[in-house]
Every structure is written in structure tokens, then in C-alpha cells.
């Protein structure tokens, strides 16, 4: 073992020990000031070299320096906006500089999007248009791996903020550019841009004059049409739009027979025509019986107007079309219908307007006839509705072909587009799978193996071709059927019960008449509940239907499902009656209902009872309406829907039944009849 003193004595030169220096601490204020100065220099020189050198020379971790540089970018942008009031080119130069910083790895990937959001929030709409042009041109940059995942939510929020500031009628083109940009940015399979549940824009309400006393139809003179039509203030956005609109409409005239004439427009046609927009806005109304009758009536009248008064394929309209093409191809479009009564004559004379309305019909029919995953199970068309839609579709295509110019070509293009739309509906029903298919992994080719011939004793001989399995019992089981796969498909192999069979006892127990206590009900059995859920998932559409109800336990959910099934499933078949029972049924005393008068009063009002009361009310239906607490608006709507007094009475009773729901019972209707002075009708209602 060496002596340390001895080793020290032998050293001819002293030994110096150096201590490793720790890195200097990061100073946020100094770093931000240095980065801010470097950003201004880089912005003037239009190069990021100065910024990169400053980043590399500043002490600190990479995360600290990136965060500080992000703050420096936003500080410079704030000065440009507030103090210097720079132009759009200066803002874009700073954003380009941040994009280079992301590429060089010296700033965060979200910085360019934050700068874009700040700029668009502070600038007026005319300058936002120029900034958004830059966003559109760099869509390939935003879709790259460095920017897409970090900035897609920022871009989506930025576009939504812009759409809230823009007017759909004044800034139609700008709104369309934003929608097209989002369509180019996000893939087709992006769930945030898809209407998966096929919901409708119920806020798109078409406002028109619903008061006949305020109508101006029939008050204008022929001289006004020659001089031009006055347009109400606020109906059109551009000052030149009314003039262009009037000139365009004047080039198309109506012909009915040998003489030319204008369409006779009254308030009823005006009201019925614009009421149809509410059905196009919410097609689910068409599945309701009385709403469908209203839609059917109004549609027949509107289409008969289009059919009776056809547009001429005049050279004037073709010449006007050529003038629009030579002036740059800019046409006049409106994002919202103009529902002024003064424009009704010109609108019905416009080929583009007619095409728009007819196309709305085709889109509505396609939704109602198509298979939509999230459509309610009650939305089913009757045979009469389907037949009317088929006939009306043929009529609409015929009308489209007759509308100039190029009616045949337009009709064929529309038909092709709607047929292609079926593919999109199928894709949505399948859960919107990705269009990008992954390339299968390359595998080495498998060397084909030569199959050895099976022995004859195994395959068997003769017409029966009995197969021996090596065991008598297995051989017997295997040869029960000639084709075992077909035997597995036999109906006798179906062991899953039907909904009627499985829930028969539960439905009977849910009936309050049977007075079964909760603890003895089948829905409270956990084993029964587990099997019921599996059966509902396979056979019932209610299982996957979304609901807002909150269920605390499985028995509560099953009891709700049992009530729904009891309304849909057919009643249990009656047992075969014996001859003695038939003889007993001839007794008139036994034919009377066993129910007490109190129980009959609590029953819901049937359709037969409504028809009987409506036919007896007649012209006195208004007296009953006030005692049923119907609003004046509902009474006016009933009067406008039908001129027949019996139909008005029927519509009144149906409206009351829809409003009351489960409370629309015989007792409440009898009380209203008695208070209105129709005691004889109240007595006859109990006997029905």
C-alpha cells in the first residue's frame, strides 16, 4: 500500500484541481428583450438567421427559450397592431417568420396559429379577407406533420370565429371560402366535420307575411311593373343587386296557351308557397299524419302552378346569359330567400328560382325514402306516401327538363348527383370508415402443398357416401344430415326467443290491472335482466335509440322498455272458444263491458270517438275550442287549413289530443263538452 505523503514528495510539479462550472441561470426578462430585438431585425431583413443565432447564444433549456420566443413574437405583433399600425404585409411577414421558427425548431408549433388568431381578431373584415387568402394558399403547410396535429383545433376555432362575425347574406362568398378551406384541411373521415346523426338546421326559418290583412297582393298597378319594382329596404345586401335581379327576371316571361300572361298570385298562393319551406327545413314533420296532409295539399297547388305556367326558351334569356358570361361570369345569388310579396311574380318567373324549389323537393324525398341509421323507428312511409312521391318525382324531373336554358342537361346532372349521394348515406350508416386503406404487409409466397388423396374407406362408398369418424356415436351424429352446414341453418336451430314470447310475462305484470307487486316482477330478476338486454340488442330498435331519460337501475330501464314494447307488439291471441262459450256470448247481458263507468272515463279518447263528435259538432266547433283552452292562433290556423266545418272540428279535436298526450281521456273531453253546453254529445261519448 502506497504512502500518500511519499507520492506527494516525489511529484516534481504541483497538481491543480479544477471544478466544473455550473450553467448560468435563465433570465426571462433578458431573454425576452434579446428575442424581441432579434425578431424586429429579422422582420426588417426578411430572414430568420439573426433569430436563430440569438436563440443558440441565449443560455437556458430549450423549453424555456421556446416559450420566451413565443412571447416575443406576440409582443412584436402587439406593437405592430397598436403602435405602428402596420399593413397586412407586415403581419404576414411576422407569421412567415414564425413558420420558419417552427421548421428550425426554435419556437412552438402553435405560435403561427396564435398569431393568425390575434391578427384576425384585431383587423376589420376587409383586411381579414387578405389575411385569409394567405391561410388558403398555405393549406399544404397546415396539413404537414409539423403543423396539423398542433394547429387543427386553432384553425377550426379561428374559422368559426370568422363565421360568427360574417353575414350570410352580405358576405356569402367569404363564408363559402371558409367552408371550402375547412373541407380541404380536414380529411373526409374527420368526425368533427360530419353530421353523423343527420340533424337539421332548425334555426333556418323563412320569415314571410302571415297576416292576410297586411298583404299588399292585388294592390299594385300594371304601370309599376313597366317602370321597375321598388325593393324594400334591407331585403338585399348590395345596392346593385335589385337592379341586376329585376333585369334578369324581366328576360323571362310566362306563357299559358297562345297568349302570354303573368301568374295570378293571391295571398293564399303566397302563404302556401312559403309555408312549404318549413317542411324542407324539418322533413320529420312529413311523417305526422295531418302535417303530411297539409304538405300534400300545398305541394299539389304549387306544382300545378309550375306545370300550368311554363317558361319560354326565348333568345332574350340566352342573350342575357351570354352577357353574364362575357362580363366575368359573375351571377347574382342570394343566401336567403326574399319573401316580399312584391317579388313573388318575378320569382315564379325565374328559372333559377324554380330549379331551386324543385331541387328541394328531390332532396326531401331522398331523405324520407332513404335508410338513415339514426332515423327514429316511427319514421316509416305508408304505401300511399311512397306512391305519391314516385309520381311527384317523375313530375319534378319533367318540369326540370322544361325549364330553360338546358333543362335536359340540368335534370340529368341533378339525377346523377342524387344517385351519388346514396353512396355517402351508406358510408355514414357504416360508421364513416376511413378511405385510406393500409397496404398489407408483404409476406413470402407460401409454397403450395400437395394434398394427399383421402382414403376411400374414410369418404365412404355408395349413394349415401357415409363418412366414418372412427367412433360409432360420432359417425352416427355426423351422418344425420347429408349437408351439415345447411342443417345448421335450419329454423329448428333457432333457439333465440322472439320479443313477444320473452316479454309476455313482463308485459302482463306491468299492467296495473293485474296488481303485481314489484318484488315479484320478472324485471327485478338479475338473470332475467341480463338475458333481456341481450335479446333487446339483437331484436329491438329501441336498444340503440338515444334517449335523455336517466335510469338509476336496470329494472327501471327494463320496465320502461316493457311499456314501449307493450304498445308496439300485437295483443296475445285469444284462446279457442268452445261451443258453450259461443252460446254464452249470444246472451246480450254478457256482451256488455265488464268495466265500471269510472274506468271507462279514464280511458284515452279513440279515433272513432273523435270522428263521431266532429261530425255532430259541425259549425259549433268554435264554441268547444274555447273550453278546450285552444289559442286564437291555433283556431285561425285550423280555419285556414280547411273550409269544411266537419274537418275543422276534427282538426280541433286532434290538436287537443296531441297537446294533452296521455291526459287526453274521455273524462276531460266530457267535462269540456258539458261546460260548452253539449251535454247530449257528452252522454253519447260515454256510450261509444
Amino acid at each position: 500500500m502506497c504512502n500518500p505523503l511519499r507520492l506527494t514528495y516525489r511529484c516534481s510539479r504541483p497538481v491543480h484541481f479544477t471544478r466544473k462550472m455550473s450553467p448560468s441561470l435563465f433570465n426571462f426578462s433578458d431573454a425576452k428583450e434579446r428575442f424581441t430585438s432579434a425578431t424586429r431585425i429579422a422582420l426588417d431583413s426578411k430572414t430568420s438567421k439573426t433569430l436563430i443565432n440569438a436563440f443558440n447564444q441565449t443560455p437556458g433549456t430549450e423549453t424555456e427559450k421556446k416559450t420566451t420566443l413565443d412571447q416575443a413574437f406576440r409582443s412584436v405583433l402587439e406593437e405592430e397592431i397598436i403602435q405602428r399600425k402596420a399593413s397586412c404585409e407586415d403581419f404576414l411577414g411576422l407569421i412567415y417568420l414564425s413558420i420558419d421558427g417552427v421548421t428550425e425548431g426554435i419556437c412552438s408549433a402553435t405560435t403561427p396559429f396564435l398569431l393568425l388568431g390575434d391578427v384576425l381578431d384585431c383587423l376589420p373584415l376587409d383586411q381579414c379577407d387578405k389575411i385569409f387568402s394567405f391561410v388558403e394558399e398555405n393549406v399544404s403547410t397546415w396539413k404537414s406533420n409539423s403543423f396539423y396535429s398542433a394547429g387543427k383545433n386553432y384553425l377550426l376555432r379561428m374559422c368559426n370565429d370568422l363565421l360568427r362575425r360574417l353575414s350570410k347574406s352580405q358576405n356569402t362568398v367569404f363564408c363559402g371560402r371558409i367552408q371550402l378551406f375547412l373541407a380541404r384541411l380536414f380529411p373526409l373521415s374527420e368526425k368533427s366535420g360530419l353530421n353523423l346523426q343527420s340533424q337539421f338546421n332548425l334555426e333556418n326559418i323563412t320569415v314571410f307575411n302571415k297576416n292576410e290583412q297586411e298583404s299588399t297582393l292585388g294592390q299594385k298597378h300594371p304601370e309599376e311593373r313597366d317602370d321597375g319594382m321598388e325593393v324594400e329596404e334591407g331585403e338585399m345586401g348590395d345596392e346593385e343587386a335589385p337592379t341586376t335581379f329585376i333585369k334578369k327576371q324581366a328576360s323571362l316571361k310566362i306563357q299559358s296557351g297562345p297568349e302570354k300572361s303573368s301568374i295570378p298570385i293571391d295571398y293564399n298562393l303566397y302563404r302556401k308557397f312559403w309555408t312549404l319551406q318549413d317542411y324542407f327545413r324539418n322533413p320529420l314533420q312529413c311523417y305526422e299524419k295531418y302535417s303530411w296532409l297539409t304538405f300534400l295539399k300545398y305541394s299539389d297547388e304549387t306544382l300545378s302552378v309550375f306545370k300550368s305556367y311554363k317558361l319560354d326558351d326565348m333568345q332574350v334569356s340566352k342573350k342575357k346569359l351570354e352577357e353574364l358570361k362575357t362580363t366575368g361570369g359573375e351571377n347574382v345569388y342570394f343566401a336567403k330567400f326574399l319573401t316580399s310579396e312584391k317579388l313573388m311574380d318575378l320569382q315564379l318567373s325565374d328559372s333559377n328560382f324554380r330549379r331551386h324549389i324543385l331541387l328541394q323537393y328531390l332532396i326531401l324525398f331522398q331523405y324520407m325514402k332513404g335508410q338513415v341509421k339514426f332515423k327514429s323507428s316511427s319514421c316509416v312511409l305508408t304505401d300511399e306516401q311512397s306512391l305519391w312521391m314516385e309520381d311527384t318525382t317523375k313530375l319534378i324531373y319533367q318540369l326540370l327538363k322544361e325549364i330553360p336554358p338546358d333543362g335536359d342537361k340540368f335534370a340529368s346532372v341533378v339525377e346523377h348527383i342524387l344517385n351519388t349521394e346514396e353512396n355517402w348515406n351508406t358510408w355514414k350508416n357504416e360508421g364513416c370508415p376511413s378511405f385510406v386503406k393500409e397496404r398489407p404487409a408483404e409476406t413470402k409466397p407460401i409454397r403450395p402443398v400437395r394434398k394427399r388423396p383421402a382414403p376411400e374407406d374414410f369418404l365412404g362408398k355408395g349413394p349415401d357416401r357415409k363418412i366414418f369418424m372412427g367412433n360409432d356415436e360420432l359417425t352416427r351424429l355426423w351422418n344425420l344430415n347429408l349437408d351439415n352446414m345447411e342443417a345448421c341453418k335450419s329454423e329448428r336451430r333457432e333457439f333465440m326467443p322472439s320479443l313477444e314470447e320473452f316479454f309476455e310475462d313482463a308485459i302482463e305484470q306491468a299492467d296495473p290491472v293485474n296488481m303485481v307487486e314489484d318484488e315479484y316482477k320478472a324485471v327485478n330478476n338479475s338473470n332475467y335482466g341480463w338475458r333481456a338486454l341481450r335479446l333487446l340488442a339483437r331484436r329491438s330498435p329501441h336498444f340503440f335509440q338515444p334517449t335523455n331519460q336517466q335510469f338509476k337501475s336496470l329494472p327501471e330501464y327494463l320496465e320502461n322498455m316493457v311499456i314501449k314494447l307493450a304498445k308496439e307488439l300485437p295483443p296475445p291471441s285469444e284462446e279457442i272458444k268452445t261451443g258453450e262459450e259461443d252460446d254464452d256470448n249470444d246472451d246480450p247481458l254478457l256482451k256488455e263491458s265488464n268495466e265500471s263507468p269510472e274506468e271507462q272515463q279514464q280511458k284515452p279518447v279513440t279515433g272513432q270517438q273523435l270522428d263521431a263528435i266532429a261530425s255532430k259538432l259541425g259549425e259549433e266547433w268554435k264554441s268547444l275550442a274555447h273550453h278546450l283552452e285552444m289559442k286564437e292562433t291555433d283556431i285561425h290556423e285550423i280555419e285556414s287549413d280547411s273550409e269544411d266545418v266537419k274537418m275543422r272540428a276534427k282538426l280541433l279535436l286532434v290538436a287537443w289530443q296531441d297537446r294533452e298526450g296521455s291526459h287526453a281521456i274521455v273524462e276531460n273531453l266530457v267535462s269540456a263538452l258539458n261546460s260548452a253546453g253539449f251535454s247530449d254529445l257528452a252522454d253519447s261519448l260515454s256510450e261509444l
Side-chain angles (χ1 to χ4, degrees):
M1 184 174 179
C2 298
N3 189 350
L5 295 176
R6 190 176 179 181
L7 289 175
T8 305
Y9 179 76
R10 289 182 178 179
C11 291
S12 59
R13 291 182 299 176
V15 179
H16 298 281
F17 297 95
T18 60
R19 185 176 62 181
K20 186 177 181 180
M21 299 294 293
S22 60
S24 58
L25 297 176
F26 175 76
N27 191 321
F28 175 76
S29 301
D30 295 342
K32 182 180 179 181
E33 184 177 355
R34 179 181 298 181
F35 288 156
T36 303
S37 176
T39 302
R40 293 195 185 96
I41 297 174
L43 188 60
D44 295 335
S45 61
K46 297 182 180 180
T47 178
S48 59
K49 291 183 179 180
T50 308
L51 199 57
I52 296 174
N53 295 332
F55 185 87
N56 294 330
Q57 295 173 4
T58 303
T61 63
E62 186 174 352
T63 304
E64 293 173 338
K65 292 190 290 184
K66 280 187 176 182
T67 306
T68 308
L69 183 56
D70 296 341
Q71 294 292 329
F73 273 125
R74 302 190 74 177
S75 298
V76 173
L77 178 63
E78 181 182 0
E79 295 177 3
E80 294 287 336
I81 293 176
I82 298 177
Q83 299 177 5
R84 297 175 57 185
K85 296 183 180 180
S87 61
C88 292
E89 287 74 14
D90 296 332
F91 300 145
L92 295 179
L94 186 60
I95 297 172
Y96 273 122
L97 195 61
S98 65
I99 294 175
D100 292 341
V102 175
T103 306
E104 297 293 338
I106 62 176
C107 69
S108 304
T110 58
T111 303
F113 306 105
L114 291 173
L115 297 179
L116 275 173
D118 293 341
V119 170
L120 292 175
D121 288 341
C122 299
L123 294 182
L125 289 179
D126 55 345
Q127 296 186 18
C128 287
D129 195 347
K130 300 178 182 178
I131 300 295
F132 193 77
S133 300
F134 160 79
V135 177
E136 290 177 306
E137 295 170 358
N138 290 273
V139 65
S140 58
T141 302
W142 315 133
K143 295 176 68 173
S144 62
N145 297 331
S146 303
F147 294 93
Y148 182 74
S149 58
K152 62 178 183 179
N153 292 331
Y154 288 96
L155 288 173
L156 182 60
R157 189 181 304 112
M158 178 187 71
C159 292
N160 287 333
D161 292 340
L162 268 179
L163 288 174
R164 292 189 192 97
R165 294 174 59 189
L166 295 172
S167 170
K168 293 182 180 179
S169 58
Q170 303 291 335
N171 310 106
T172 310
V173 177
F174 199 174
C175 293
R177 288 171 54 195
I178 294 175
Q179 297 289 355
L180 289 176
F181 167 75
L182 292 175
R184 293 170 57 195
L185 177 66
F186 292 100
L188 289 173
S189 57
E190 176 68 30
K191 296 297 179 66
S192 62
L194 296 175
N195 185 11
L196 293 177
Q197 297 185 359
S198 300
Q199 297 177 346
F200 304 101
N201 182 16
L202 301 181
E203 298 178 358
N204 184 23
I205 300 176
T206 302
V207 181
F208 61 95
N209 181 22
K210 297 182 180 180
N211 190 352
E212 186 174 3
Q213 284 73 19
E214 299 178 0
S215 175
T216 59
L217 288 172
Q219 299 179 5
K220 56 187 178 182
H221 303 285
E223 295 81 17
E224 296 179 4
R225 194 173 300 169
D226 296 333
D227 298 337
M229 180 174 294
E230 297 180 0
V231 181
E232 296 182 3
E233 183 180 357
E235 285 188 335
M236 298 185 183
D238 300 332
E239 297 179 355
E240 299 178 357
T243 306
T244 310
F245 184 80
I246 298 301
K247 288 182 178 179
K248 179 180 177 183
Q249 307 302 331
S251 64
L252 295 171
K253 295 185 179 296
I254 310 291
Q255 182 175 0
S256 176
E259 298 179 358
K260 298 179 181 177
S261 62
S262 61
I263 300 177
I265 300 174
D266 56 1
Y267 177 76
N268 285 331
L269 176 61
Y270 168 81
R271 179 181 60 84
K272 294 175 181 179
F273 180 83
W274 289 116
T275 302
L276 290 173
Q277 293 299 319
D278 191 57
Y279 293 92
F280 298 145
R281 177 182 66 93
N282 186 12
L284 295 179
Q285 299 180 83
C286 296
Y287 290 105
E288 300 174 3
K289 181 178 179 181
Y290 292 98
S291 298
W292 168 258
L293 294 177
T294 304
F295 173 75
L296 188 67
K297 177 183 177 182
Y298 292 179
S299 298
D300 289 340
E301 294 187 16
T302 300
L303 294 176
S304 63
V305 171
F306 286 173
K307 185 178 179 180
S308 302
Y309 299 92
K310 300 178 181 180
L311 304 179
D312 278 347
D313 190 4
M314 300 174 60
Q315 296 296 329
V316 180
S317 61
K318 293 184 178 180
K319 182 179 180 182
K320 184 67 178 178
L321 186 63
E322 294 296 331
E323 291 179 359
L324 290 174
K325 291 182 179 179
T326 54
T327 56
E330 295 184 358
N331 211 332
V332 179
Y333 298 97
F334 300 97
K336 206 61 178 151
F337 284 125
L338 304 177
T339 58
S340 173
E341 299 174 355
K342 300 178 181 179
L343 299 175
M344 191 69 185
D345 190 8
L346 293 176
Q347 286 175 326
L348 295 180
S349 307
D350 180 26
S351 59
N352 286 337
F353 184 81
R354 285 199 180 193
R355 286 173 173 175
H356 199 116
I357 300 300
L358 295 175
L359 185 57
Q360 284 182 311
Y361 273 105
L362 295 178
I363 295 174
L364 173 67
F365 294 165
Q366 185 185 50
Y367 172 79
M368 296 185 66
K369 294 187 295 185
Q371 298 294 331
V372 181
K373 183 178 180 180
F374 291 95
K375 189 186 292 186
S376 175
S377 58
S378 60
C379 298
V380 180
L381 294 175
T382 62
D383 295 337
E384 296 179 357
Q385 289 175 326
S386 302
L387 183 60
W388 183 84
M389 285 185 185
E390 291 180 4
D391 297 339
T392 308
T393 301
K394 296 178 182 178
L395 173 62
I396 289 174
Y397 277 115
Q398 182 62 33
L399 292 174
L400 287 175
K401 293 178 181 179
E402 295 174 356
I403 296 176
D406 302 327
D408 293 335
K409 183 178 179 180
F410 181 83
S412 61
V413 171
V414 168
E415 185 176 8
H416 174 72
I417 292 175
L418 292 179
N419 291 334
T420 308
E421 189 69 18
E422 292 293 338
N423 299 330
W424 290 105
N425 293 336
T426 304
W427 175 68
K428 286 175 62 176
N429 292 336
E430 294 175 355
C432 305
S434 176
F435 288 96
V436 180
K437 295 183 178 180
E438 297 182 358
R439 179 178 299 177
E442 296 182 359
T443 57
K444 296 182 180 180
I446 302 176
R447 184 177 180 181
V449 180
R450 186 176 60 179
K451 296 182 179 180
R452 292 185 299 175
E456 292 182 357
D457 58 342
F458 176 77
L459 293 177
K461 299 179 181 180
D464 296 337
R465 295 188 65 81
K466 187 175 182 180
I467 298 176
F468 298 96
M469 301 299 297
N471 182 286
D472 293 340
E473 186 64 22
L474 288 177
T475 302
R476 184 187 67 82
L477 292 174
W478 187 269
N479 293 277
L480 287 176
N481 294 89
L482 297 177
D483 192 344
N484 287 324
M485 295 303 296
E486 291 297 327
C488 292
K489 300 177 183 178
S490 174
E491 295 181 356
R492 294 182 299 174
R493 303 285 300 175
E494 181 65 34
F495 301 115
M496 182 180 298
S498 63
L499 291 173
E500 295 90 339
E501 298 173 357
F502 188 82
F503 287 99
E504 182 177 1
D505 295 338
I507 293 174
E508 185 177 355
Q509 294 171 0
D511 193 350
V513 179
N514 296 326
M515 294 185 295
V516 179
E517 298 181 2
D518 292 340
E519 58 180 339
Y520 298 109
K521 289 184 178 180
V523 294
N524 292 319
N525 188 339
S526 58
N527 186 19
Y528 180 88
W530 178 76
R531 290 184 291 134
L533 287 178
R534 294 191 62 187
L535 183 62
L536 288 172
R538 294 291 299 273
R539 294 191 182 276
S540 175
H542 295 293
F543 186 79
F544 296 101
Q545 186 173 355
T547 179
N548 294 327
Q549 292 181 269
Q550 300 292 333
F551 300 102
K552 298 181 180 180
S553 62
L554 176 60
E556 184 180 353
Y557 169 76
L558 288 178
E559 190 169 357
N560 181 61
M561 296 298 294
V562 165
I563 294 174
K564 290 184 178 180
L565 293 174
K567 297 179 181 178
E568 297 180 357
L569 297 179
S573 59
E574 299 180 356
E575 297 180 356
I576 301 176
K577 300 179 180 179
T578 61
E580 296 178 357
E581 293 175 346
D582 295 339
D583 296 339
D584 293 340
N585 289 337
D586 295 337
D587 192 350
L589 296 177
L590 297 178
K591 290 183 179 180
E592 295 181 0
S593 175
N594 295 327
E595 297 178 348
S596 62
E598 291 78 7
E599 294 177 347
Q600 293 180 359
Q601 292 289 324
Q602 298 300 322
K603 277 192 170 183
V605 181
T606 62
Q608 182 181 1
Q609 292 173 329
L610 292 181
D611 293 336
I613 296 299
S615 61
K616 295 178 181 179
L617 273 176
E619 298 178 352
E620 299 179 351
W621 65 274
K622 276 190 178 181
S623 302
L624 180 61
H626 297 291
H627 292 276
L628 291 177
E629 298 181 357
M630 300 298 293
K631 299 179 180 179
E632 291 295 333
T633 55
D634 298 334
I635 296 176
H636 291 316
E637 185 175 355
I638 292 174
E639 289 178 336
S640 61
D641 287 342
S642 177
E643 298 179 355
D644 186 10
V645 292
K646 292 184 178 180
M647 179 55 68
R648 289 178 177 178
K650 179 64 178 296
L651 292 175
L652 167 68
L653 295 174
V654 170
W656 168 79
Q657 188 181 39
D658 293 341
R659 187 194 67 191
E660 296 295 324
S662 60
H663 297 288
I665 58 177
V666 175
E667 181 181 6
N668 295 338
L669 184 56
V670 168
S671 176
L673 289 171
N674 287 327
S675 60
F678 303 111
S679 57
D680 53 343
L681 293 181
D683 297 338
S684 63
L685 178 63
S686 303
E687 298 174 358
L688 292 176

